[in-house]
Every structure is written in structure tokens, then in C-alpha cells.
Amino acid sequence: MKVIVVGNGGREHAIAWKLAQSSSVEEVICTPGNGGTAFENKCRNVEGKTHDDFVRIAKENGCELCVVGPEDPLAAGLADKFWAEGIPTVGTRKDPAQLEASKDMAKDFMKKYGVACAASKTFTDKNEALAYVKEKGAPIVLKADGLAAGKGVVVALNMEDALKAVEDLMDGALVGDAGRKLVIEEYMRGVEVSILSAVCVDPELTKAGKSCIVPFVSARDHKRLLDGAKGPNTGGMGAIAPVDDVTEEVLAKFQKDILEPTLKGIESEGWDYKGFIFFGLMITKEGPKVIEYNIRLGDPETQAVLPLMDFDFAQMCKAITEGKLSEFKTAWKKGYVVSPVAVSGGYPKAYKKGLEMTIDSSKTSKAKVFIAGAVEKDGKLLTSGGRVIACSANGETFDEAWKKAYEAIEGVSFEDMFYRKDIGLPGAAESN
């Protein structure tokens, strides 16, 4: 079969790469794709910008399955459009996509169905929000309600930063209209982890007792720019999988206190949700609690998790669209993946684009280089974004994976390239 993948980031390169490994996949059409998918085995880029473009490209190329990578098109209803055109799609429909598109809606959902999470309150009036922050004190967490490309959350450790965040978010200085409604949460103490999962729910499956959420191995993103979890927040400076402090006890509490009530909530709302969900968690002394839902795979966690899959990812995606995920058997490779990210100098602020990148295959042979922010032009790779590549390596031990990943990333080169040297090491993870 032919599969279309919508998106152009590192996550989409990893998705296309994993789909192409399936013997059942003839070709992966990437729209718009990037410099990595341009050279990937069995993959081909086709330029597309609008939802109509994506559907047209799928039809013209005879695609029998669609996988949507980013959250924005899902929140805008792209999956609904594909299904209406008769193309089975991995990616939730518009209504449940609001679990990520609206932090306020997600908190209401968590409270309604008893999902373990931080206490919170939502505001549309800036003065009321400022008064609440003064009453509660710092540290405190402030979240823009709408989609903000990973820039809508401020963890304020002192009152000055908290009050400034209210002003900046609600006046539109940081994230535009996304911050007009503000969710203010208690500050949870613990360490962050991510659990990406496949979802297959609709009213008919629920009646038959076959709706399900299937969690993947745990992962951890490293958001801060600098070693030791210092510096500004970014879209992600690297990831590891699995995470050793996600113990069997933690997983049992996650299943009981988070996954099961989330599934019950999706069923009770009567949603048609066939795609992925990403649980952003804080492991607290009381157990794991939800920081946020993402209604797609995480980036860069996907680049660390997918290489550990020891099953046919394309067949899993097909099972999701056919309502057969509950019958699908997963298996995971032993060991670890370490995936540091290389960024352009100046990121997450202003940075140059159009820089030529070289990859020395003799140095990267023991890892997989996923392209995030680079395009192909005349056979060359030119940088086009802040996060440029993720370099993923698998090892039987964490130390082996770490060594392979960092040896490989030295084989990637472009002007002012920067990366953290401590992904996965003690003290590298954000903790509260």
C-alpha cells in the first residue's frame, strides 16, 4: 500500500522511516516532507500547504492510509476531511483534538473523569489572574489556553516572573491570542516523563468492549537549551527511551489513575479517536500526574521511541484505522535509545537559515540521523529551522547508546551548530 504522511519535522521523518520498513508499504508520500524524507528509502516528497492539497495528493498517488504528524491540522479537522474522502487516517478528529488545542478544556476533562493532575483555575480577566497569583504565591505554572507551538507554558519560580508571565501571556506579547484565556496550575514537584500511546476508540468499539489505549515505552524530553537543565525552554534538545525511573509501580499507578480514566472519558464523550495520545507526566511523591495531553506523537520523543519498536508500525497504524488495535501485539527491543538534538546557533531566539549541512556517513553509521529543520536543494541539505537534526542510537545499555549517539552527532556539521552534551545523564533532566 501507499501511505501519505502529513508534516515536515523530525517526528514526521521518523514516522515515514518506520512506515517504510514495512514489507506492506510500497511508498510513503511525505507532504510537504523535508530534507530527510527527500533521501529516505521508499519515501518521496510532494509539496502541499492546505488541507485540500493534502487530500488531493493522497488521491492522485493512490494512498490507502494517512498519518498526520502535527497537532495544528488535527485541531483544524484534517482527519475528519480525510475520512470524509474515504481515506483511513491515523490522527484524531477535531473534537478530541481540543484536548491539546485548549488547556482549559483538557483540565475540565481531567477533573470530570478523575484523571490525576495538578489543581488549576482558568481566567479570562487579567486582573483576576494577577490577584490569584498574588494569593497563591510562587512557584506556580501558567499556561496559555490555545496552541502555542510549545511556547505557551511558563514555570514561574518567583512572584516577579509569575506576574510578568500573566501580563505577557494575556496581553499577547508571547503567544498572541492563545494566551487570552489563561490556565494557572499548582507547581508539582517531581521529574517529567512522556508516555506516547496509540488510541482506538469510537462508539461502536466501546459497545463491543474493544476501545483501547496502548502505551509505548516511556521516554524523556530535555527542554532546556543548556547542559544541566539550564537556560531557556526549547522545543526539545534531545530524548531518551526508556526511562529507568518509570518503574513497574509507577506504570501501575499510571494505568489506574491516568490511562484508564482517560479512556473512560473519551468513551463517555462519544468521540471517534483513532490516532495517538501523548501523556506528559510529572512523577510526584503521590505518583504520576498529567501535566498535559498532546493528541499526537511527541517531538523529539518519537525519534527515541520508534527505533525501539519490534513490530510492524504500518500494520499498527492500519489496525488503528480498522478498529483492531485491541488485537494488535506489540513488542519492544531490549536496550535504550539516546537521541540528542542539534540546533542552529541563536535558537530558540533568532537564527540563520539556509546553511549547508554535511553528514559524514562513516561517523553516523551506528545511528540514525532524523532531519527536523532542513530542506533538500540541488542535492544538498540546507537548514530551514531552529532544531535541525536528532541523532538516534540504540544500545544494549544506556552507556552504549549514549556513546554511539554522541560519536554520530560529531559527523553532522553546519555553521554555528550547537547541541547539549548531557542528554540522559544525571542532572540533565528537568525536575521540580
Side-chain angles (χ1 to χ4, degrees), residues 325-382:
L325 181 63
S326 62
E327 304 165 19
F328 189 86
K329 303 300 182 185
T330 60
W332 298 91
K333 297 174 184 176
K334 293 181 179 180
Y336 298 81
V337 169
V338 175
S339 185
V341 167
V343 303
S344 285
Y347 175 83
K349 295 183 178 179
Y351 53 84
K352 295 179 182 177
K353 296 181 181 181
L355 305 172
E356 184 175 350
M357 176 169 58
T358 60
I359 299 176
D360 184 344
S361 58
S362 68
K363 293 183 178 179
T364 61
S365 61
K366 294 181 181 179
K368 176 64 183 178
V369 178
F370 293 113
I371 302 297
V375 295
E376 181 272 334
K377 187 174 182 181
D378 300 326
K380 297 179 179 179
L381 284 171
L382 303 179

Side-chain angles (χ1 to χ4, degrees), residues 44 62 69 77 84-85 90 114 116-117 163 173 175 186 198 216 242 270 311 331 334 350 364 408:
R44 175 164 58 92
E85 296 292 335
V90 180
C117 64
L163 296 176
V175 293
E186 68 169 320
F216 298 165
F311 57 85
K334 293 181 179 180
T364 61

Side-chain angles (χ1 to χ4, degrees), residues 16 32 62 78 81 100 105 159 190 201 211 215 256 274 276 293 295 309 379 396:
L78 180 58
K81 189 174 184 68
E100 179 171 359
M105 183 268 213
M159 184 59 67
V201 181
S211 288
K256 177 177 178 290
K274 296 186 178 74
F276 301 110
Y293 291 123
I295 46 80
M309 287 180 171
E396 291 186 11

Side-chain angles (χ1 to χ4, degrees), residues 139-395:
I140 198 164
V141 180
L142 306 100
K143 297 181 177 181
D145 173 61
L147 292 173
K151 300 174 183 176
V153 178
V154 176
V155 179
L157 300 180
N158 57 62
M159 184 59 67
E160 181 182 358
D161 289 347
L163 296 176
K164 184 177 186 300
V166 172
E167 297 278 0
D168 289 346
L169 288 166
M170 298 195 80
D171 283 343
L174 281 180
V175 293
D177 289 342
R180 301 299 182 193
K181 183 185 287 188
L182 190 66
V183 177
I184 302 179
E185 290 186 349
E186 68 169 320
Y187 178 84
M188 294 189 291
R189 297 190 181 277
V191 292
E192 292 188 32
V193 298
S194 308
I195 297 184
L196 315 184
S197 310
V199 185
C200 187
V201 181
D202 68 31
E204 292 303 313
L205 288 170
T206 298
K207 287 179 186 176
K210 292 186 177 181
S211 288
C212 62
I213 298 176
V214 177
F216 298 165
V217 296
S218 60
R220 173 169 285 137
D221 185 10
H222 296 64
K223 287 289 188 186
R224 298 286 185 174
L225 179 68
L226 305 175
D227 286 3
K230 306 293 184 183
N233 267 325
T234 71
M237 293 299 295
I240 61 168
V243 181
D244 285 342
D245 46 14
V246 179
T247 63
E248 290 300 320
E249 181 183 359
V250 168
L251 285 174
K253 287 188 71 66
F254 163 72
Q255 183 83 22
K256 177 177 178 290
D257 298 339
I258 295 171
L259 189 151
E260 290 177 4
T262 297
L263 175 60
K264 181 65 177 176
I266 294 171
E267 291 175 336
S268 299
E269 294 293 327
W271 287 336
D272 187 328
Y273 192 141
K274 296 186 178 74
F276 301 110
I277 192 167
F278 155 15
F279 297 92
L281 307 175
M282 184 74 76
I283 302 177
T284 73
K285 62 182 181 181
E286 294 89 19
K289 295 183 180 182
V290 175
I291 300 170
E292 63 178 354
Y293 291 123
N294 289 167
I295 46 80
R296 35 75 189 183
L297 295 177
D299 190 343
E301 292 97 332
T302 298
Q303 293 90 302
V305 171
L306 264 59
L308 287 170
M309 287 180 171
D310 201 14
F311 57 85
D312 189 318
F313 184 54
Q315 289 303 308
M316 168 179 264
C317 290
K318 191 175 180 183
I320 291 171
T321 63
E322 293 177 349
K324 297 178 180 178
L325 181 63
S326 62
E327 304 165 19
F328 189 86
K329 303 300 182 185
T330 60
W332 298 91
K333 297 174 184 176
K334 293 181 179 180
Y336 298 81
V337 169
V338 175
S339 185
V341 167
V343 303
S344 285
Y347 175 83
K349 295 183 178 179
Y351 53 84
K352 295 179 182 177
K353 296 181 181 181
L355 305 172
E356 184 175 350
M357 176 169 58
T358 60
I359 299 176
D360 184 344
S361 58
S362 68
K363 293 183 178 179
T364 61
S365 61
K366 294 181 181 179
K368 176 64 183 178
V369 178
F370 293 113
I371 302 297
V375 295
E376 181 272 334
K377 187 174 182 181
D378 300 326
K380 297 179 179 179
L381 284 171
L382 303 179
T383 64
S384 60
R387 291 190 297 158
V388 180
I389 63 106
C391 195
S392 301
N394 181 223

